[in-house]
Amino acid sequence: GAVVSQHPSWVICKSGTSVKIECRSLDFQATTMFWYRQFPKQSLMLMATSNEGSKATYEQGVEKDKFLINHASLTLSTLTVTSAHPEDSSFYICSATSTSGGRETQYFGPGTRLLVL
Amino acid sequence: GENVEQHPSTLSVQEGDSAVIKCTYSDSASNYFPWYKQELGKRPQLIIDIRSNVGEKKDQRIAVTLNKTAKHFSLHITETQPEDSAVYFCAASRGGSYIPTFGRGTSLIVHP
């Protein structure tokens, strides 16, 4: 299947700093990528839809000024957590949709574990 | 919008038994239903999916059934093994714009 990578896999930072997470589709182009947040033992919560060449679409309750999303190319989307606080500590997962044979399948990145001290 | 309910939240079985996880959805326009397996600290992996033009799909020990009328779909795992232990998520979407809605997950524990 298609491969989605994410970098870094984990990060520890001080409160108040900003953290950038990259999501790449390695062997296919993705006009749309998704960013999820997952707390321990909970489901995937969609944060935003990242659209190549246009602004991201944020889900209700997600602060767009705090979680900056940039989809600079058909293979790269970035999520920047600005002025991170301990409550932002979570597992962040991106996904991208691959189209083959007229059918779309969603593939997930390996996730980034963020710990804000 | 779409609402996906998943049950049970936890399922404990003995090795060799079957496991069934059920999901219901609310949007009758949804036509794509994937199932993901997520091991601790890892990414969700697509294990099987079904589209609304079929009622059942099977892949070795895993099968999924879909009842469009009742708006529910189920994951069946036969001859469970300890390595099947993980969290399983169902999802539903309309395809196209492809913003799937996920269920809350089922933690499957297979005891040796």
Side-chain angles (χ1 to χ4, degrees):
Chain A
V3 178
V4 177
S5 71
Q6 228 175 296
H7 179 80
S9 56
W10 59 271
V11 58
I12 301 174
C13 68
K14 292 182 178 180
S15 185
T17 60
S18 293
V19 175
K20 179 186 282 189
I21 303 170
E22 293 185 348
C23 177
R24 294 181 184 273
S25 55
L26 297 186
D27 50 0
F28 66 101
Q29 294 183 332
T31 56
T32 303
M33 292 183 175
F34 303 97
W35 286 97
Y36 295 85
R37 184 173 181 177
Q38 187 177 37
F39 291 105
K41 297 185 179 181
Q42 293 191 21
S43 188
L44 298 156
M45 293 182 58
L46 179 65
M47 299 176 64
T49 302
S50 174
N51 305 298
E52 188 269 335
S54 64
K55 292 183 179 180
T57 304
Y58 289 82
E59 295 300 299
Q60 192 173 11
V62 178
E63 300 176 57
K64 59 181 68 175
D65 294 331
K66 180 166 184 63
F67 299 99
L68 301 178
I69 292 173
N70 183 274
H71 198 141
S73 74
L74 288 172
T75 60
L76 173 65
S77 174
T78 61
L79 168 69
T80 301
V81 183
T82 62
S83 187
H85 288 98
E87 57 265 30
D88 298 324
S89 299
S90 188
F91 191 47
Y92 292 86
I93 307 177
C94 72
S95 72
T97 301
S98 173
T99 301
S100 178
R103 292 188 166 182
E104 297 174 334
T105 304
Q106 188 179 26
Y107 294 95
F108 287 88
T112 297
R113 195 163 299 281
L114 171 64
L115 178 60
V116 184
L117 302 177
Chain B
E2 174 69 276
N3 181 48
V4 176
E5 299 284 341
Q6 183 172 347
H7 298 280
S9 56
T10 305
L11 180 58
S12 184
V13 300
Q14 288 296 127
E15 182 177 1
D17 288 350
S18 294
V20 180
I21 303 171
K22 299 181 179 182
C23 288
T24 61
Y25 61 99
S26 61
D27 185 354
S28 56
S30 288
N31 56 17
Y32 178 61
F33 308 92
W35 285 88
Y36 292 88
K37 175 184 179 182
Q38 186 179 27
E39 297 177 1
L40 189 63
K42 296 187 177 180
R43 77 182 84 194
Q45 296 269 23
L46 178 70
I47 55 172
I48 196 168
D49 57 13
I50 191 168
R51 298 180 192 269
S52 59
N53 57 342
V54 297
E56 184 175 1
K57 185 176 179 180
K58 191 173 182 179
D59 183 4
Q60 300 182 335
R61 296 187 296 108
I62 296 173
V64 57
T65 59
L66 171 65
N67 184 325
K68 288 188 294 181
T69 303
K71 294 206 282 281
H72 68 70
F73 55 112
S74 301
L75 177 71
H76 304 253
I77 305 174
T78 59
E79 301 173 34
T80 54
Q81 301 166 2
E83 49 266 39
D84 294 330
S85 298
V87 178
Y88 291 81
F89 293 99
C90 64
S93 84
R94 293 187 174 192
S97 61
Y98 205 94
I99 302 179
T101 300
F102 285 86
R104 297 174 72 87
T106 296
S107 178
L108 173 64
I109 303 168
V110 181
H111 299 281

